[in-house]
Amino acid sequence: MIYSEVVGAVEAFLNRTEADPYIPTFISLAEVEMNRRLDTREMMGVVSLPISSEATTLPCDFAGVKAFRL
């Protein structure tokens, strides 16, 4: 869905005919909430980390572990 279609759908849902300045903020907040709750294949990656000590540095976009293998 194209962004303008999303804006139009939100306007229709809210029964608004004129452009509402809060709709882009609403869409951004919805995206943040969905990204927080959803784990999609596009968000996953594979990383090999050397284990030479008790701790190692994680990637900056690390959100959690789906699987772990030695």
Side-chain angles (χ1 to χ4, degrees):
M1 187 175 261
I2 300 173
Y3 183 76
S4 60
E5 293 175 347
V6 174
V7 171
V10 173
E11 288 174 346
F13 181 79
L14 295 175
N15 199 20
R16 304 278 173 105
T17 55
E18 72 283 344
D20 190 331
Y22 295 110
I23 289 176
T25 303
F26 172 78
I27 293 170
S28 296
L29 292 172
E31 287 178 338
V32 168
E33 183 64 23
M34 285 185 265
N35 285 332
R36 194 176 301 141
R37 292 181 183 216
L38 298 175
D39 285 330
T40 62
R41 190 175 296 268
E42 292 83 14
M43 296 170 72
M44 289 190 240
V46 176
V47 177
S48 296
L49 297 172
I51 302 178
S52 57
S53 64
E54 292 180 6
T56 188
T57 305
L58 296 172
C60 61
D61 59 349
F62 178 79
V65 176
K66 191 77 167 180
F68 180 80
R69 184 174 61 193
L70 285 175

Short mmCIF file of all heavy atoms in Angstrom, two decimals:
data_model
loop_
_atom_site.label_atom_id
_atom_site.label_comp_id
_atom_site.label_asym_id
_atom_site.label_seq_id
_atom_site.Cartn_x
_atom_site.Cartn_y
_atom_site.Cartn_z
N MET A 1 0.85 -1.17 0.00
CA MET A 1 0.00 0.00 0.00
C MET A 1 0.90 1.24 0.00
O MET A 1 1.85 1.32 0.75
CB MET A 1 -0.91 -0.03 1.22
CG MET A 1 -1.96 1.05 1.24
SD MET A 1 -3.10 0.90 2.63
CE MET A 1 -4.46 0.10 1.84
N ILE A 2 0.58 2.18 -0.81
CA ILE A 2 1.34 3.43 -0.91
C ILE A 2 0.94 4.35 0.25
O ILE A 2 -0.20 4.32 0.73
CB ILE A 2 1.05 4.11 -2.26
CG1 ILE A 2 1.45 3.17 -3.40
CG2 ILE A 2 1.76 5.44 -2.38
CD1 ILE A 2 1.06 3.64 -4.76
N TYR A 3 1.90 5.17 0.70
CA TYR A 3 1.68 6.04 1.87
C TYR A 3 0.43 6.91 1.70
O TYR A 3 -0.35 7.06 2.64
CB TYR A 3 2.92 6.90 2.11
CG TYR A 3 2.81 7.77 3.34
CD1 TYR A 3 2.96 7.23 4.60
CD2 TYR A 3 2.54 9.13 3.23
CE1 TYR A 3 2.84 8.01 5.74
CE2 TYR A 3 2.42 9.92 4.36
CZ TYR A 3 2.58 9.36 5.61
OH TYR A 3 2.47 10.13 6.72
N SER A 4 0.24 7.47 0.50
CA SER A 4 -0.94 8.33 0.28
C SER A 4 -2.23 7.53 0.43
O SER A 4 -3.25 8.07 0.90
CB SER A 4 -0.87 8.98 -1.09
OG SER A 4 -0.83 8.00 -2.11
N GLU A 5 -2.20 6.23 0.07
CA GLU A 5 -3.37 5.39 0.26
C GLU A 5 -3.62 5.13 1.75
O GLU A 5 -4.78 5.07 2.18
CB GLU A 5 -3.20 4.06 -0.47
CG GLU A 5 -3.19 4.20 -1.98
CD GLU A 5 -2.90 2.89 -2.68
OE1 GLU A 5 -2.46 1.93 -2.00
OE2 GLU A 5 -3.09 2.83 -3.90
N VAL A 6 -2.55 4.99 2.51
CA VAL A 6 -2.69 4.80 3.96
C VAL A 6 -3.30 6.04 4.58
O VAL A 6 -4.22 5.96 5.40
CB VAL A 6 -1.33 4.47 4.62
CG1 VAL A 6 -1.45 4.42 6.13
CG2 VAL A 6 -0.78 3.16 4.09
N VAL A 7 -2.81 7.22 4.17
CA VAL A 7 -3.37 8.48 4.69
C VAL A 7 -4.85 8.57 4.33
O VAL A 7 -5.69 8.93 5.16
CB VAL A 7 -2.59 9.69 4.14
CG1 VAL A 7 -3.28 10.99 4.49
CG2 VAL A 7 -1.16 9.69 4.67
N GLY A 8 -5.19 8.23 3.10
CA GLY A 8 -6.59 8.26 2.67
C GLY A 8 -7.45 7.30 3.46
O GLY A 8 -8.60 7.61 3.81
N ALA A 9 -6.92 6.11 3.74
CA ALA A 9 -7.67 5.13 4.53
C ALA A 9 -7.90 5.62 5.95
O ALA A 9 -8.99 5.44 6.50
CB ALA A 9 -6.94 3.80 4.54
N VAL A 10 -6.90 6.24 6.54
CA VAL A 10 -7.06 6.78 7.90
C VAL A 10 -8.07 7.93 7.89
O VAL A 10 -8.92 8.02 8.78
CB VAL A 10 -5.70 7.24 8.48
CG1 VAL A 10 -5.89 7.96 9.81
CG2 VAL A 10 -4.77 6.05 8.66
N GLU A 11 -7.99 8.80 6.88
CA GLU A 11 -8.97 9.89 6.77
C GLU A 11 -10.38 9.33 6.64
O GLU A 11 -11.32 9.84 7.26
CB GLU A 11 -8.64 10.78 5.58
CG GLU A 11 -7.43 11.66 5.78
CD GLU A 11 -7.04 12.42 4.52
OE1 GLU A 11 -7.53 12.08 3.42
OE2 GLU A 11 -6.23 13.35 4.63
N ALA A 12 -10.55 8.29 5.83
CA ALA A 12 -11.87 7.68 5.66
C ALA A 12 -12.35 7.04 6.96
O ALA A 12 -13.52 7.16 7.33
CB ALA A 12 -11.83 6.65 4.54
N PHE A 13 -11.44 6.37 7.66
CA PHE A 13 -11.80 5.73 8.93
C PHE A 13 -12.24 6.77 9.95
O PHE A 13 -13.17 6.55 10.72
CB PHE A 13 -10.62 4.92 9.46
CG PHE A 13 -10.91 4.20 10.74
CD1 PHE A 13 -11.63 3.02 10.75
CD2 PHE A 13 -10.48 4.72 11.95
CE1 PHE A 13 -11.91 2.36 11.92
CE2 PHE A 13 -10.75 4.07 13.14
CZ PHE A 13 -11.48 2.89 13.13
N LEU A 14 -11.54 7.91 9.97
CA LEU A 14 -11.88 8.97 10.92
C LEU A 14 -13.00 9.87 10.43
O LEU A 14 -13.40 10.80 11.12
CB LEU A 14 -10.63 9.83 11.20
CG LEU A 14 -9.48 9.11 11.90
CD1 LEU A 14 -8.27 10.04 12.00
CD2 LEU A 14 -9.89 8.62 13.28
N ASN A 15 -13.47 9.60 9.19
CA ASN A 15 -14.53 10.39 8.57
C ASN A 15 -14.13 11.86 8.44
O ASN A 15 -14.88 12.76 8.78
CB ASN A 15 -15.84 10.25 9.36
CG ASN A 15 -17.04 10.64 8.53
OD1 ASN A 15 -16.97 10.66 7.29
ND2 ASN A 15 -18.14 10.96 9.19
N ARG A 16 -12.90 12.07 7.95
CA ARG A 16 -12.38 13.42 7.73
C ARG A 16 -12.28 13.67 6.24
O ARG A 16 -11.82 12.83 5.48
CB ARG A 16 -10.98 13.57 8.33
CG ARG A 16 -10.88 13.26 9.79
CD ARG A 16 -11.33 14.44 10.61
NE ARG A 16 -11.40 14.13 12.02
CZ ARG A 16 -10.53 14.51 12.91
NH1 ARG A 16 -9.49 15.22 12.55
NH2 ARG A 16 -10.69 14.20 14.17
N THR A 17 -12.69 14.84 5.80
CA THR A 17 -12.59 15.18 4.38
C THR A 17 -11.39 16.07 4.12
O THR A 17 -10.84 16.06 3.02
CB THR A 17 -13.86 15.89 3.90
OG1 THR A 17 -14.12 17.02 4.74
CG2 THR A 17 -15.06 14.95 3.96
N GLU A 18 -10.95 16.83 5.10
CA GLU A 18 -9.79 17.69 4.92
C GLU A 18 -8.55 17.03 5.52
O GLU A 18 -8.66 16.09 6.31
CB GLU A 18 -10.01 19.06 5.58
CG GLU A 18 -9.99 19.07 7.10
CD GLU A 18 -11.25 18.55 7.76
OE1 GLU A 18 -12.29 18.44 7.10
OE2 GLU A 18 -11.18 18.26 8.96
N ALA A 19 -7.40 17.49 5.11
CA ALA A 19 -6.14 16.91 5.60
C ALA A 19 -5.98 17.23 7.09
O ALA A 19 -6.09 18.38 7.50
CB ALA A 19 -4.97 17.45 4.82
N ASP A 20 -5.72 16.23 7.88
CA ASP A 20 -5.52 16.40 9.32
C ASP A 20 -4.02 16.37 9.59
O ASP A 20 -3.35 15.42 9.21
CB ASP A 20 -6.23 15.27 10.07
CG ASP A 20 -6.27 15.50 11.56
OD1 ASP A 20 -5.37 16.17 12.10
OD2 ASP A 20 -7.21 15.00 12.20
N PRO A 21 -3.45 17.38 10.25
CA PRO A 21 -2.00 17.40 10.48
C PRO A 21 -1.52 16.31 11.42
O PRO A 21 -0.32 16.02 11.48
CB PRO A 21 -1.76 18.78 11.08
CG PRO A 21 -3.06 19.19 11.66
CD PRO A 21 -4.11 18.55 10.79
N TYR A 22 -2.42 15.64 12.14
CA TYR A 22 -2.02 14.60 13.09
C TYR A 22 -1.93 13.22 12.46
O TYR A 22 -1.41 12.29 13.06
CB TYR A 22 -2.98 14.56 14.28
CG TYR A 22 -2.93 15.81 15.11
CD1 TYR A 22 -3.98 16.71 15.12
CD2 TYR A 22 -1.80 16.10 15.88
CE1 TYR A 22 -3.93 17.86 15.88
CE2 TYR A 22 -1.74 17.25 16.64
CZ TYR A 22 -2.81 18.13 16.64
OH TYR A 22 -2.75 19.26 17.39
N ILE A 23 -2.45 13.05 11.25
CA ILE A 23 -2.46 11.73 10.61
C ILE A 23 -1.04 11.20 10.37
O ILE A 23 -0.77 10.03 10.68
CB ILE A 23 -3.32 11.74 9.34
CG1 ILE A 23 -4.80 11.85 9.74
CG2 ILE A 23 -3.09 10.49 8.50
CD1 ILE A 23 -5.76 11.95 8.60
N PRO A 24 -0.08 11.99 9.85
CA PRO A 24 1.28 11.45 9.70
C PRO A 24 1.90 11.00 11.03
O PRO A 24 2.58 9.97 11.10
CB PRO A 24 2.06 12.61 9.09
CG PRO A 24 1.03 13.41 8.37
CD PRO A 24 -0.20 13.30 9.23
N THR A 25 1.63 11.74 12.10
CA THR A 25 2.13 11.35 13.42
C THR A 25 1.47 10.05 13.87
O THR A 25 2.14 9.15 14.40
CB THR A 25 1.85 12.46 14.45
OG1 THR A 25 2.45 13.67 13.99
CG2 THR A 25 2.40 12.10 15.81
N PHE A 26 0.17 9.93 13.64
CA PHE A 26 -0.56 8.71 13.98
C PHE A 26 0.03 7.51 13.25
O PHE A 26 0.25 6.45 13.84
CB PHE A 26 -2.04 8.87 13.64
CG PHE A 26 -2.83 7.61 13.77
CD1 PHE A 26 -3.24 7.16 15.01
CD2 PHE A 26 -3.16 6.87 12.65
CE1 PHE A 26 -3.98 5.99 15.13
CE2 PHE A 26 -3.88 5.69 12.76
CZ PHE A 26 -4.29 5.26 14.00
N ILE A 27 0.32 7.67 11.95
CA ILE A 27 0.88 6.58 11.16
C ILE A 27 2.28 6.22 11.67
O ILE A 27 2.61 5.03 11.80
CB ILE A 27 0.90 6.95 9.67
CG1 ILE A 27 -0.54 7.06 9.15
CG2 ILE A 27 1.70 5.95 8.85
CD1 ILE A 27 -0.67 7.64 7.76
N SER A 28 3.10 7.21 11.98
CA SER A 28 4.44 6.94 12.51
C SER A 28 4.38 6.19 13.83
O SER A 28 5.14 5.23 14.05
CB SER A 28 5.21 8.24 12.70
OG SER A 28 5.43 8.87 11.47
N LEU A 29 3.50 6.60 14.73
CA LEU A 29 3.36 5.92 16.02
C LEU A 29 2.85 4.49 15.83
O LEU A 29 3.29 3.57 16.53
CB LEU A 29 2.41 6.71 16.93
CG LEU A 29 2.94 8.06 17.42
CD1 LEU A 29 1.85 8.82 18.15
CD2 LEU A 29 4.16 7.88 18.29
N ALA A 30 1.94 4.29 14.88
CA ALA A 30 1.45 2.93 14.60
C ALA A 30 2.57 2.05 14.07
O ALA A 30 2.68 0.88 14.46
CB ALA A 30 0.29 3.00 13.60
N GLU A 31 3.43 2.59 13.20
CA GLU A 31 4.56 1.83 12.67
C GLU A 31 5.51 1.42 13.79
O GLU A 31 5.99 0.29 13.83
CB GLU A 31 5.31 2.63 11.62
CG GLU A 31 4.60 2.76 10.31
CD GLU A 31 5.36 3.62 9.32
OE1 GLU A 31 6.21 4.44 9.74
OE2 GLU A 31 5.13 3.45 8.12
N VAL A 32 5.79 2.34 14.71
CA VAL A 32 6.68 2.04 15.83
C VAL A 32 6.10 0.92 16.69
O VAL A 32 6.80 -0.02 17.06
CB VAL A 32 6.94 3.31 16.68
CG1 VAL A 32 7.60 2.97 17.99
CG2 VAL A 32 7.77 4.31 15.89
N GLU A 33 4.81 1.00 16.97
CA GLU A 33 4.16 -0.03 17.79
C GLU A 33 4.15 -1.38 17.08
O GLU A 33 4.41 -2.42 17.70
CB GLU A 33 2.73 0.40 18.15
CG GLU A 33 2.01 -0.55 19.06
CD GLU A 33 2.64 -0.66 20.43
OE1 GLU A 33 3.36 0.25 20.87
OE2 GLU A 33 2.42 -1.70 21.09
N MET A 34 3.87 -1.38 15.78
CA MET A 34 3.87 -2.65 15.04
C MET A 34 5.27 -3.26 14.99
O MET A 34 5.43 -4.47 15.14
CB MET A 34 3.33 -2.43 13.63
CG MET A 34 1.82 -2.26 13.60
SD MET A 34 1.19 -2.14 11.93
CE MET A 34 1.12 -0.38 11.73
N ASN A 35 6.29 -2.44 14.77
CA ASN A 35 7.66 -2.95 14.74
C ASN A 35 8.08 -3.50 16.09
O ASN A 35 8.88 -4.42 16.18
CB ASN A 35 8.64 -1.87 14.29
CG ASN A 35 8.55 -1.61 12.81
OD1 ASN A 35 8.20 -2.49 12.03
ND2 ASN A 35 8.88 -0.42 12.39
N ARG A 36 7.53 -2.93 17.16
CA ARG A 36 7.85 -3.41 18.50
C ARG A 36 7.23 -4.78 18.75
O ARG A 36 7.81 -5.62 19.43
CB ARG A 36 7.33 -2.40 19.52
CG ARG A 36 7.87 -2.59 20.91
CD ARG A 36 7.41 -1.52 21.88
NE ARG A 36 7.82 -0.20 21.42
CZ ARG A 36 7.06 0.88 21.53
NH1 ARG A 36 5.86 0.82 22.04
NH2 ARG A 36 7.49 2.05 21.10
N ARG A 37 6.06 -5.04 18.19
CA ARG A 37 5.34 -6.28 18.46
C ARG A 37 5.60 -7.38 17.44
O ARG A 37 5.47 -8.55 17.77
CB ARG A 37 3.84 -6.01 18.49
CG ARG A 37 3.42 -5.18 19.67
CD ARG A 37 1.94 -4.97 19.65
NE ARG A 37 1.53 -4.12 20.74
CZ ARG A 37 0.40 -4.28 21.40
NH1 ARG A 37 -0.42 -5.23 21.06
NH2 ARG A 37 0.10 -3.46 22.37
N LEU A 38 5.92 -7.03 16.21
CA LEU A 38 6.04 -8.01 15.14
C LEU A 38 7.49 -8.42 14.91
O LEU A 38 8.39 -7.60 14.97
CB LEU A 38 5.47 -7.46 13.84
CG LEU A 38 4.00 -7.10 13.82
CD1 LEU A 38 3.64 -6.46 12.50
CD2 LEU A 38 3.15 -8.34 14.04
N ASP A 39 7.69 -9.68 14.63
CA ASP A 39 8.98 -10.18 14.18
C ASP A 39 8.78 -10.69 12.76
O ASP A 39 8.21 -11.76 12.55
CB ASP A 39 9.47 -11.33 15.06
CG ASP A 39 9.98 -10.86 16.40
OD1 ASP A 39 10.48 -9.73 16.46
OD2 ASP A 39 9.90 -11.61 17.37
N THR A 40 9.20 -9.94 11.79
CA THR A 40 9.06 -10.36 10.40
C THR A 40 10.39 -10.88 9.89
O THR A 40 11.45 -10.60 10.44
CB THR A 40 8.59 -9.20 9.51
OG1 THR A 40 9.57 -8.17 9.52
CG2 THR A 40 7.26 -8.65 9.99
N ARG A 41 10.34 -11.62 8.82
CA ARG A 41 11.54 -12.20 8.23
C ARG A 41 12.53 -11.10 7.82
O ARG A 41 13.74 -11.29 7.91
CB ARG A 41 11.15 -13.05 7.03
CG ARG A 41 12.25 -13.88 6.48
CD ARG A 41 11.75 -14.79 5.37
NE ARG A 41 10.78 -15.77 5.84
CZ ARG A 41 11.09 -16.99 6.25
NH1 ARG A 41 12.34 -17.38 6.26
NH2 ARG A 41 10.16 -17.82 6.65
N GLU A 42 12.03 -9.95 7.40
CA GLU A 42 12.91 -8.86 6.99
C GLU A 42 13.69 -8.27 8.16
O GLU A 42 14.73 -7.65 7.98
CB GLU A 42 12.11 -7.74 6.31
CG GLU A 42 11.52 -8.10 4.97
CD GLU A 42 10.21 -8.85 5.09
OE1 GLU A 42 9.60 -8.86 6.18
OE2 GLU A 42 9.81 -9.45 4.08
N MET A 43 13.19 -8.46 9.37
CA MET A 43 13.85 -7.90 10.54
C MET A 43 14.92 -8.83 11.10
O MET A 43 15.68 -8.44 11.97
CB MET A 43 12.82 -7.61 11.62
CG MET A 43 11.80 -6.56 11.23
SD MET A 43 10.44 -6.44 12.38
CE MET A 43 11.22 -5.69 13.78
N MET A 44 14.97 -10.08 10.62
CA MET A 44 15.91 -11.05 11.15
C MET A 44 17.22 -11.07 10.37
O MET A 44 17.24 -10.74 9.19
CB MET A 44 15.29 -12.45 11.12
CG MET A 44 14.19 -12.63 12.11
SD MET A 44 13.72 -14.34 12.19
CE MET A 44 12.02 -14.22 11.72
N GLY A 45 18.25 -11.44 11.05
CA GLY A 45 19.55 -11.56 10.42
C GLY A 45 20.37 -12.64 11.11
O GLY A 45 20.02 -13.12 12.19
N VAL A 46 21.46 -13.01 10.48
CA VAL A 46 22.37 -14.01 11.04
C VAL A 46 23.68 -13.32 11.36
O VAL A 46 24.23 -12.59 10.53
CB VAL A 46 22.60 -15.17 10.05
CG1 VAL A 46 23.61 -16.15 10.60
CG2 VAL A 46 21.29 -15.85 9.72
N VAL A 47 24.17 -13.53 12.56
CA VAL A 47 25.42 -12.91 12.99
C VAL A 47 26.29 -13.98 13.63
O VAL A 47 25.83 -14.78 14.44
CB VAL A 47 25.16 -11.78 14.01
CG1 VAL A 47 26.45 -11.19 14.50
CG2 VAL A 47 24.28 -10.70 13.40
N SER A 48 27.55 -14.00 13.28
CA SER A 48 28.54 -14.86 13.93
C SER A 48 29.37 -14.00 14.87
O SER A 48 29.94 -13.00 14.44
CB SER A 48 29.44 -15.52 12.89
OG SER A 48 28.70 -16.35 12.05
N LEU A 49 29.38 -14.39 16.13
CA LEU A 49 30.13 -13.63 17.12
C LEU A 49 31.24 -14.50 17.70
O LEU A 49 30.99 -15.64 18.08
CB LEU A 49 29.20 -13.18 18.26
CG LEU A 49 28.08 -12.23 17.88
CD1 LEU A 49 27.14 -12.04 19.07
CD2 LEU A 49 28.64 -10.90 17.45
N PRO A 50 32.43 -13.96 17.77
CA PRO A 50 33.52 -14.73 18.39
C PRO A 50 33.33 -14.76 19.91
O PRO A 50 32.99 -13.76 20.52
CB PRO A 50 34.78 -13.94 18.02
CG PRO A 50 34.29 -12.55 17.80
CD PRO A 50 32.90 -12.68 17.27
N ILE A 51 33.49 -15.91 20.48
CA ILE A 51 33.37 -16.05 21.93
C ILE A 51 34.76 -16.37 22.46
O ILE A 51 35.16 -17.52 22.59
CB ILE A 51 32.36 -17.13 22.32
CG1 ILE A 51 31.00 -16.81 21.72
CG2 ILE A 51 32.27 -17.26 23.83
CD1 ILE A 51 29.93 -17.83 21.99
N SER A 52 35.49 -15.32 22.74
CA SER A 52 36.85 -15.50 23.27
C SER A 52 36.96 -15.02 24.71
O SER A 52 38.01 -15.14 25.31
CB SER A 52 37.84 -14.75 22.38
OG SER A 52 37.49 -13.38 22.31
N SER A 53 35.88 -14.47 25.23
CA SER A 53 35.87 -14.03 26.62
C SER A 53 34.44 -14.17 27.16
O SER A 53 33.56 -14.69 26.47
CB SER A 53 36.36 -12.57 26.72
OG SER A 53 35.46 -11.72 26.05
N GLU A 54 34.21 -13.67 28.35
CA GLU A 54 32.89 -13.78 28.97
C GLU A 54 31.85 -12.91 28.30
O GLU A 54 30.66 -13.17 28.38
CB GLU A 54 32.97 -13.41 30.45
CG GLU A 54 33.76 -14.40 31.27
CD GLU A 54 33.83 -13.99 32.72
OE1 GLU A 54 33.18 -13.00 33.11
OE2 GLU A 54 34.54 -14.65 33.48
N ALA A 55 32.26 -11.83 27.64
CA ALA A 55 31.32 -10.89 27.02
C ALA A 55 31.77 -10.58 25.60
O ALA A 55 32.94 -10.70 25.26
CB ALA A 55 31.25 -9.61 27.84
N THR A 56 30.82 -10.20 24.77
CA THR A 56 31.11 -9.79 23.40
C THR A 56 30.20 -8.63 23.03
O THR A 56 29.17 -8.41 23.67
CB THR A 56 30.94 -10.97 22.42
OG1 THR A 56 31.40 -10.58 21.14
CG2 THR A 56 29.49 -11.40 22.32
N THR A 57 30.55 -7.89 22.02
CA THR A 57 29.77 -6.74 21.58
C THR A 57 28.68 -7.20 20.62
O THR A 57 28.96 -7.92 19.66
CB THR A 57 30.68 -5.71 20.88
OG1 THR A 57 31.74 -5.36 21.76
CG2 THR A 57 29.89 -4.48 20.52
N LEU A 58 27.46 -6.78 20.87
CA LEU A 58 26.33 -7.12 20.00
C LEU A 58 26.17 -6.08 18.92
O LEU A 58 26.58 -4.93 19.09
CB LEU A 58 25.05 -7.22 20.83
CG LEU A 58 25.02 -8.33 21.88
CD1 LEU A 58 23.78 -8.19 22.74
CD2 LEU A 58 25.06 -9.68 21.21
N PRO A 59 25.53 -6.44 17.80
CA PRO A 59 25.26 -5.44 16.75
C PRO A 59 24.37 -4.33 17.28
O PRO A 59 23.57 -4.53 18.20
CB PRO A 59 24.53 -6.25 15.68
CG PRO A 59 24.84 -7.68 15.96
CD PRO A 59 25.09 -7.77 17.42
N CYS A 60 24.49 -3.13 16.71
CA CYS A 60 23.73 -1.98 17.21
C CYS A 60 22.23 -2.13 17.00
O CYS A 60 21.44 -1.53 17.73
CB CYS A 60 24.23 -0.69 16.56
SG CYS A 60 24.04 -0.65 14.77
N ASP A 61 21.79 -2.95 16.04
CA ASP A 61 20.36 -3.14 15.80
C ASP A 61 19.83 -4.42 16.44
O ASP A 61 18.76 -4.90 16.10
CB ASP A 61 20.06 -3.14 14.31
CG ASP A 61 20.81 -4.22 13.55
OD1 ASP A 61 21.71 -4.85 14.14
OD2 ASP A 61 20.49 -4.44 12.37
N PHE A 62 20.55 -4.96 17.42
CA PHE A 62 20.16 -6.19 18.10
C PHE A 62 18.88 -5.97 18.89
O PHE A 62 18.75 -5.03 19.66
CB PHE A 62 21.28 -6.64 19.04
CG PHE A 62 20.95 -7.87 19.83
CD1 PHE A 62 21.04 -9.11 19.24
CD2 PHE A 62 20.55 -7.77 21.14
CE1 PHE A 62 20.74 -10.25 19.97
CE2 PHE A 62 20.25 -8.90 21.87
CZ PHE A 62 20.33 -10.15 21.28
N ALA A 63 17.89 -6.86 18.68
CA ALA A 63 16.62 -6.75 19.40
C ALA A 63 16.33 -7.99 20.23
O ALA A 63 15.53 -7.93 21.15
CB ALA A 63 15.49 -6.49 18.43
N GLY A 64 16.94 -9.12 19.91
CA GLY A 64 16.68 -10.33 20.65
C GLY A 64 17.21 -11.54 19.92
O GLY A 64 17.66 -11.45 18.78
N VAL A 65 17.18 -12.68 20.58
CA VAL A 65 17.69 -13.93 20.02
C VAL A 65 16.53 -14.81 19.60
O VAL A 65 15.63 -15.06 20.40
CB VAL A 65 18.57 -14.67 21.05
CG1 VAL A 65 19.03 -16.01 20.51
CG2 VAL A 65 19.76 -13.81 21.44
N LYS A 66 16.53 -15.25 18.37
CA LYS A 66 15.53 -16.19 17.88
C LYS A 66 16.04 -17.62 18.03
O LYS A 66 15.31 -18.53 18.39
CB LYS A 66 15.22 -15.87 16.42
CG LYS A 66 14.05 -16.57 15.86
CD LYS A 66 12.79 -15.93 16.35
CE LYS A 66 11.60 -16.41 15.56
NZ LYS A 66 10.40 -15.80 16.01
N ALA A 67 17.33 -17.83 17.73
CA ALA A 67 17.95 -19.14 17.86
C ALA A 67 19.42 -18.94 18.20
O ALA A 67 20.03 -17.92 17.84
CB ALA A 67 17.80 -19.93 16.56
N PHE A 68 19.99 -19.91 18.88
CA PHE A 68 21.38 -19.83 19.31
C PHE A 68 22.02 -21.18 19.03
O PHE A 68 21.47 -22.22 19.36
CB PHE A 68 21.43 -19.50 20.80
CG PHE A 68 22.81 -19.40 21.35
CD1 PHE A 68 23.54 -18.25 21.17
CD2 PHE A 68 23.38 -20.45 22.04
CE1 PHE A 68 24.82 -18.14 21.69
CE2 PHE A 68 24.65 -20.37 22.56
CZ PHE A 68 25.38 -19.20 22.37
N ARG A 69 23.20 -21.18 18.41
CA ARG A 69 23.88 -22.42 18.09
C ARG A 69 25.36 -22.26 18.30
O ARG A 69 25.96 -21.28 17.88
CB ARG A 69 23.59 -22.80 16.63
CG ARG A 69 24.17 -24.11 16.22
CD ARG A 69 23.74 -24.50 14.85
NE ARG A 69 24.20 -23.52 13.88
CZ ARG A 69 23.77 -23.45 12.64
NH1 ARG A 69 22.85 -24.28 12.21
NH2 ARG A 69 24.26 -22.55 11.82
N LEU A 70 25.98 -23.23 18.97
CA LEU A 70 27.44 -23.24 19.16
C LEU A 70 28.08 -24.06 18.07
O LEU A 70 27.60 -25.05 17.63
CB LEU A 70 27.81 -23.83 20.51
CG LEU A 70 27.56 -22.93 21.70
CD1 LEU A 70 27.86 -23.68 22.99
CD2 LEU A 70 28.42 -21.69 21.61
#
